[in-house]
Structures are given as C-alpha cells and as structure tokens.
Amino acid sequence: MYITSEIREELYKTWQLLLSAKSIVLTSHIDPDGDAIGSSVGLYHLLKASGKDVCIILHSAVPANLRFLISTTEFYQASDIQSKDKVASADWFCILDLNHASRLGQSVQELFTHFTGHTVLIDHHLEPSIIPDRLHSIVKACSTCEIVSEMAKSSGIIPSVESATALYTGIMTDTGGFRHPRTTSDIMRLAAWLIDCGANPVMIYDKVMNAETPHSLRLLGMALSSLQIHLDGNLVLIVLTKQQLEHYLPEETEGFVNYTLSLAGVKIGALITEWPDKVKISLRSKPEYDVRSIAQKYGGGGHQQAAGARISHGDLHHIVQTIITDCETYLHSI
Ligand code: 5GP
Ligand code: MN
C-alpha cells in the first residue's frame, strides 16, 4: 500500500488549507489528456461544493472528447482576458499532473510570473522540479486523479456525480482502460467507489473513446499504413509529416501511439508527428523497458512506459534516424 496513513494525513492537511482559501486557480499541462482534465475538474467540483471561488485555467483548448467534463466548470484558456483577473484575485494555485514548469505552457507560466500566493502540486510523474508550498508527488499512483480521489476520501468527502465522473475518467485513461501495470486491486476499488458516487463507466467510456470523426479515422488509417518496423521488430514507429497532418490538430493523433505496442514482440513504440512549430515524440514501452531516458535526451520526460518530448527545431528525417539509433543503443545496453 503506497497510500500510507502519513500520505492521507498530508492530503487532508492540504485539503484543510484549500478550505481556508478564498479563491483558487487550478491548472494542468499543455495538450491536456484525460488525467489533466479529470483531476482539474474533479478537484474543481470538490472545492466548489465546499463553497470556494474556483476556476480552471489551461494553456491549451480542451480536446473534443473531454469537453463534456468542463461544461459544468468555470474554465478559461490563459489567453482569455478574464484569466488575468482570476490569477490576480487568487490566493492558491493548484498545479495538477505535471512535474516541470515548462509543461504549464508559456501562457500559464507568464500569468503566474508575479503570483505571490500559495501553491500546491499534485502529480505522479518522477522528479518534480517545481517547489510548491504543498507537494504531493506520488509516482506509484496510476494517475493524478487517483491522488485527488484519495484526498477526498482522506477528508471524508463524497464526490458529487460531476467530480466522480471526472476522477474516474482520468483513472480510466491513464491506466489505458485498466490495462497498464498500475492497474491494481486498490485502483479497481477506488474506481468502484467513484462509480458508487455516480460515475457512469459505460457513458464515460463512450464519450471519451468513441469520439472519432470520419476525418480522424482516416488519419488513423494513414498512420497505420505508414507503420515502420525496425530493429528486428523490437521497435515500431508511426511517423506523420507536416503535409499529412495539414488539416489536423495534435489532439487528433491521441492514442495512435498505443497501436505500435499492439504488434506481437515489440518492445518500444513511438509516434513522431511533425507540426508547424514542433516535432512531437510520443514513446511507449512494454513493462521491462524504459523510454523515459530516451525522451529526456530530447528535453522531455514522463513515465518509464509512457514518455514524450517536443522538439522546436529540427529536421523530421534526422530526428527519426536519431531515435532509431537511441532505441538500438538502449536495447543493446540492457
Ligand atoms: P504522450 O505521449 O501521451 O503525449 O505523453 C506521455 C507522457 O509523457 C505524458 O504523461 C507526459 O508525462 C510525458 N510527456 C509528453 N510530452 C512531454 C514533454 O514535452 N515534456 C515532458 N517533460 N514530458 C512529456
Ligand atoms: Mn497523469
């Protein structure tokens, strides 16, 4: 049990501090996923139900399949004019599901340059480099939503249907639909508790996972037909060029990388996408292999089995070749 009584006590302390706040801004990472939105919305509703003035500010827009979660929240993109006033009147700033300030995105970082209130970081990534007033960095947690759920539990709070729905979403997406190695019996019990609180697993799965459009399914077709197999089948790549992605958004490639690991025998999979302002790398590995160190070489990070990086300058072909070499070197070294 990694959620010890000490951790519960610390989570309860943070909850008490948040209850003494006047106004709280919640934020999470750029290109938000189910856990980023789920933990923000889940905590939003816990705080709102306790009478707090709270809002969510993100750098990026919310992907279409997760928008149902924010519809009942006060949500801003950092570029919205209201966000400045919100930050100016906030006394607490909660950062969820990220470990480096750069993951906030430039616009959120800028908003908080002169922030003098308190900060709390709740996250499950390795090696947090942000120094907040309250730190909950639990790398064994399957998701940030797990930690927020434990905070509610430890504080004797029953999440509302909206909160439970959001928290269940992040647990579901960060465990790859209850399939990744952190899917423990404790996680299943926590998910069951959220269902008891009103989360509807069938509806959530349908909204989050069955949200393709003909346009996005065609992109998946293009991605799968361009699958590259390297290193005797140990490495599988999907590479999409700027031309192929011309009419698409980064969120429309979400989940594509998982197909690389569905091939029998593969050890490492990568999705490399070329956008006008960056090349995005998404890495995945089978449990015995660690792709985080490869992502770090490109200034990125993440988890051992799911990591990523963004490269702002560089030739796509060169990046692909370097990643193949990095994976080869890594697989030889273990
Ligand atoms: P994805 O491949 O789904 O974009 O990201 C997988 C994981 O890698 C994320 O949970 C996140 O922790 C990490 N990650 C992705 N992109 C970056 C990045 O640019 N920088 C850092 N530090 N981590 C990233
Ligand atoms: Mn997460």
Side-chain angles (χ1 to χ4, degrees):
M1 242 332 238
Y2 52 86
I3 306 284
T4 59
S5 53
E6 287 78 21
I7 288 178
R8 287 185 203 286
E9 249 168 61
E10 289 302 313
L11 287 169
Y12 177 63
K13 257 188 220 166
T14 296
W15 176 253
Q16 290 298 319
L17 285 167
L18 291 176
L19 286 188
S20 68
K22 260 195 349 267
S23 170
I24 304 154
V25 172
L26 310 178
T27 194
S28 189
H29 57 80
I30 43 172
D31 301 335
D33 57 8
D35 194 28
I37 302 295
S39 56
S40 306
V41 174
L43 184 56
Y44 173 95
H45 285 295
L46 294 177
L47 291 166
K48 201 75 190 167
S50 300
K52 296 291 129 192
D53 175 13
V54 54
C55 73
I56 302 170
I57 301 180
L58 295 186
H59 172 88
S60 321
V62 176
N65 64 332
L66 297 169
R67 253 172 244 156
F68 74 104
L69 291 175
I70 61 152
S71 62
T72 51
T73 67
E74 187 175 339
F75 173 86
Y76 303 102
Q77 264 188 266
S79 52
D80 294 340
I81 40 168
Q82 297 97 319
S83 60
K84 255 199 179 134
D85 291 343
K86 286 287 163 188
V87 172
S89 62
D91 49 353
W92 275 84
F93 178 40
C94 291
I95 306 168
L96 298 145
D97 199 38
L98 61 92
N99 55 354
H100 291 285
S102 63
R103 298 275 294 148
L104 290 166
Q106 203 178 339
S107 62
V108 173
Q109 284 186 76
E110 279 167 13
L111 268 183
F112 280 91
T113 328
H114 303 297
F115 181 72
T116 53
H118 302 285
T119 49
V120 53
L121 175 65
I122 304 178
D123 182 42
H124 67 131
H125 295 90
L126 290 154
E127 297 164 7
S129 64
I130 298 168
I131 306 167
D133 297 298
R134 300 287 301 163
L135 174 65
H136 299 284
S137 167
I138 306 176
V139 298
K140 282 191 175 160
C142 74
S143 57
T144 301
C145 281
E146 176 189 348
I147 310 172
V148 174
S149 304
E150 289 293 351
M151 178 187 269
K153 264 191 133 176
S154 309
S155 310
I157 310 275
I158 304 290
S160 64
V161 174
E162 289 82 4
S163 178
T165 299
L167 295 171
Y168 180 95
T169 300
I171 294 174
M172 180 189 84
T173 54
D174 259 27
T175 57
F178 303 98
R179 288 174 301 177
H180 293 163
R182 300 238 162 91
T183 310
T184 60
S185 57
D186 283 333
I187 291 303
M188 292 302 210
R189 272 186 285 274
L190 193 64
W193 180 64
L194 293 169
I195 293 170
D196 287 340
C197 294
N200 178 337
V202 178
M203 177 279 281
I204 294 171
Y205 181 88
D206 188 51
K207 292 253 193 209
V208 177
M209 305 305 290
N210 297 335
E212 299 292 348
T213 60
H215 185 63
S216 66
L217 270 189
R218 278 191 199 103
L219 180 64
L220 175 62
M222 194 150 65
L224 292 178
S225 56
S226 70
L227 206 73
Q228 301 179 17
I229 299 172
H230 297 278
L231 312 179
D232 299 325
N234 289 321
L235 172 68
V236 170
L237 299 184
I238 294 175
V239 180
L240 291 167
T241 65
K242 208 158 44 185
Q243 290 72 32
Q244 287 173 302
L245 292 168
E246 199 181 344
H247 302 293
Y248 291 96
L249 297 168
E251 69 191 63
E252 289 175 292
T253 62
E254 183 75 37
F256 285 12
V257 67
N258 299 319
Y259 287 94
T260 60
L261 285 194
S262 68
L263 220 73
V266 66
K267 293 175 179 163
I268 298 176
L271 169 72
I272 305 171
T273 47
E274 185 186 28
W275 303 98
D277 58 334
K278 64 184 175 249
V279 172
K280 207 176 152 205
I281 305 170
S282 266
L283 293 158
R284 296 291 185 272
S285 61
K286 287 285 171 71
E288 311 90 280
Y289 307 97
D290 174 8
V291 284
R292 184 169 165 263
S293 54
I294 299 171
Q296 279 176 324
K297 206 189 133 194
Y298 298 91
H303 311 276
Q304 290 188 350
Q305 265 89 60
R310 285 163 179 72
I311 304 172
S312 43
H313 303 288
D315 169 64
L316 179 68
H317 180 72
H318 177 71
I319 292 170
V320 171
Q321 290 310 314
T322 324
I323 286 182
I324 297 171
T325 311
D326 289 341
C327 291
E328 188 171 25
T329 310
Y330 167 71
L331 290 171
H332 276 141
S333 73
I334 53 167

